[in-house]
DNA sequence: TTGTGAATGTAAGCATCGATTACACGGATT
DNA sequence: AATCCGTGTAATCGATGCTTACATTCACAA
């Protein structure tokens, strides 16, 4: 199939000193941890130009490696994206849980609010990374157990928090699943409006976004909270 | 620059009857309305495989035209996508307004609900087309006045509806902009959750989606509506 | 009617990308 | 020390967006 066969190795001679003098180490033949470096490069690309800006070749270029090398570590581009999504999801979850750890334990509804706020803030600060973990377009959920699991546990966490709030009589509605989905739709929608560039069309300046985020979250909380002086 | 010059036309001879017999008209040199046909082909591609499935060449292929032809009508792929988005947005707006035309005129809050429902239903029925008009990824807002304008007018329409509801004392909050953004975030979020394949992870089956959509919309309405027996 | 220019199609080609294949290197194991 | 296999390279393929040179035909004016 391949027409031209290559002459058998002039490489050893062509390659200069091997980690000898103080020169910036001309990279040994084997990279060390290319997989990790590729994921980092891809993460960086996502941060720079969004998920579409990730190309296997560019990641390879940044890793200082040939265009075919990445395919030793990832069967295809999607697999690389999966790894990137996994990393992003890990960071996302870590932040959410860190924030929640500092929330008041005695007021579940306030904790629920904290969850929403942490979600929104992370999405605002890391729009491109948020995008990658949100849209299945960029990776294969079935192929990426890590993302799905992290996600499921976050869903569980909010579900439990909501259940506690209900148990303490803080909610008007008893259809917790509905409430939870509404809450998720609200914060996810807001985050995506930001990512998708809707806010300029809504006359919301960048500086106002975080305040607006908090505002709509409070609107939700008020909407689902039981009015103190009123029994169902 | 170009090495090989072509012999000067054997085409006229090679081309068979020209719209003569009853044969299916071997397409004249000029297509007729290639621009329109390309948009339709692209719309179809969007419907089949989402926005990413659209390629200029495939659209050309389906139009039965050479790969370079589309560039006579669209300076680049983005411009084609813009046209597609414009068409989709037109249809979207038409449906919304048609639904609203049948809504009760005396109850603004009910009209607001109708708007939300129409939005959700269209998004559920045309997920890929909805995606294309939602995410600026696929087209350039500045380049596509039509989409932005249609969108702005829909935003205006909901804004006015909400203002009427407030004027009739149907709302708890007086911060209408906040309410409107919350409402939009909710329906947009729900629509995107559907597009982005979140619902399987939430245990929401396809058959339940529409009902759930209605449920969260009602939750919102209840949340923003003034409780009858309670004055602020 | 005829001639000419603009509009619009074709053919060929470039660069880039994802992906594959044959081969080269070199660390780890024996 | 010999060898095996994980990992990198080089070359190549097919598809895509886009450009350029050329071909064809329509519309309009003389």
């Amino acid at each position: 199939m391949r027409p031209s066969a290559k002459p058998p190795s002039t490489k050893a001679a062509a390659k200069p000193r091997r980690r000898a003098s103080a020169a910036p180490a001309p990279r040994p033949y084997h990279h060390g941890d290319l997989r990790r470096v590729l994921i980092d490069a891809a993460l960086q690309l996502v941060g720079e130009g969004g998920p579409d800006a990730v190309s296997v070749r560019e990641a390879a270029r940044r890793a200082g490696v040939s265009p075919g090398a990445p395919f030793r570590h990832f069967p295809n581009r999607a697999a690389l994206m999966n790894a990137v999504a996994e990393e992003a999801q890990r960071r996302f979850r870590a932040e959410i849980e860190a924030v929640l750890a500092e929330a008041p334990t005695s007021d579940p509804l306030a904790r629920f609010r904290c969850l929403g706020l942490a979600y929104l803030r992370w999405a605002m600060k890391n729009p491109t990374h948020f995008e990658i973990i949100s849209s299945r377009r960029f990776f294969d959920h079935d192929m990426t157990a890590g993302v799905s699991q992290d996600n499921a546990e976050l869903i569980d966490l909010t579900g439990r928090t909501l259940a506690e709030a209900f148990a303490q009589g803080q909610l008007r509605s008893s259809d917790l699943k509905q409430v939870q989905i509404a809450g998720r739709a609200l914060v996810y929608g807001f985050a995506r409006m930001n990512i998708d560039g809707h806010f300029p069309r809504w006359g919301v300046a960048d500086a106002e976004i975080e305040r607006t985020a908090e505002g709509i979250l409070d609107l939700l909380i008020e909407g689902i909270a039981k009015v103190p002086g009123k029994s169902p």
Side-chain angles (χ1 to χ4, degrees), chain A:
Chain A
M1 283 288 173
R2 279 170 66 261
S4 71
K6 221 184 40 178
S9 170
T10 43
K11 187 83 181 274
K15 191 164 60 172
R17 59 267 133 100
R18 205 210 125 190
R19 174 171 309 208
S21 53
R27 193 169 53 68
Y29 190 91
H30 288 98
H31 187 287
D33 193 0
L34 183 55
R35 184 188 157 86
R36 181 72 240 164
V37 173
L38 286 170
I39 293 176
D40 288 341
L43 270 166
Q44 203 180 331
L45 285 168
V46 170
E48 288 170 16
D52 292 330
V54 178
S55 88
V56 177
R57 290 177 108 101
E58 180 60 25
R61 228 169 273 134
R62 297 200 175 189
V65 100
S66 77
F71 292 93
R72 291 286 177 202
H73 299 271
F74 304 97
N76 50 39
R77 193 193 111 114
L80 173 58
M81 296 305 269
N82 287 353
V84 171
E86 226 158 25
E87 174 65 23
Q89 174 78 29
R90 224 176 36 70
R91 295 183 189 177
F92 178 58
R93 183 183 171 193
E95 169 120 348
I96 298 278
E97 291 183 339
V99 169
L100 194 65
E102 295 184 1
T105 56
S106 60
D107 183 348
L109 192 53
R111 285 172 70 81
F112 182 71
R113 184 179 181 281
C114 278
L115 276 171
L117 205 52
Y119 184 104
L120 284 169
R121 286 206 171 122
W122 197 86
M124 301 299 130
K125 270 194 193 154
N126 311 277
T128 52
H129 290 160
F130 182 83
E131 187 176 7
I132 229 186
I133 62 180
S134 306
S135 182
R136 74 175 162 185
R137 167 193 316 295
F138 304 114
F139 68 102
D140 180 354
H141 275 268
D142 303 326
M143 208 169 129
T144 315
V147 172
S148 295
Q149 191 184 326
D150 274 358
N151 214 318
E153 289 181 18
L154 280 181
I155 292 175
D156 255 29
L157 183 59
T158 50
R160 286 198 307 270
T161 307
L162 214 48
E164 290 172 30
F166 179 70
Q168 297 197 13
Q170 293 182 298
L171 301 184
R172 294 208 317 219
S173 168
S174 63
D175 190 342
L176 299 188
K177 189 174 174 187
Q178 198 90 287
V179 171
Q180 192 182 352
I181 291 178
R184 173 64 143 229
L186 187 81
V187 294
Y188 183 54
F190 193 87
R192 289 232 53 127
M193 285 176 76
N194 182 47
I195 291 171
D196 295 337
H198 291 199
F199 286 133
R201 312 202 298 249
W202 283 78
V204 177
D206 282 3
E208 299 172 315
I209 292 184
E210 177 136 355
R211 195 154 39 82
T212 306
E214 212 161 329
I216 60 143
L217 185 58
D218 285 333
L219 209 58
L220 172 81
I221 302 288
E222 285 168 32
I224 64 174
K226 181 167 287 180
V227 182
K230 184 170 187 298
S231 56

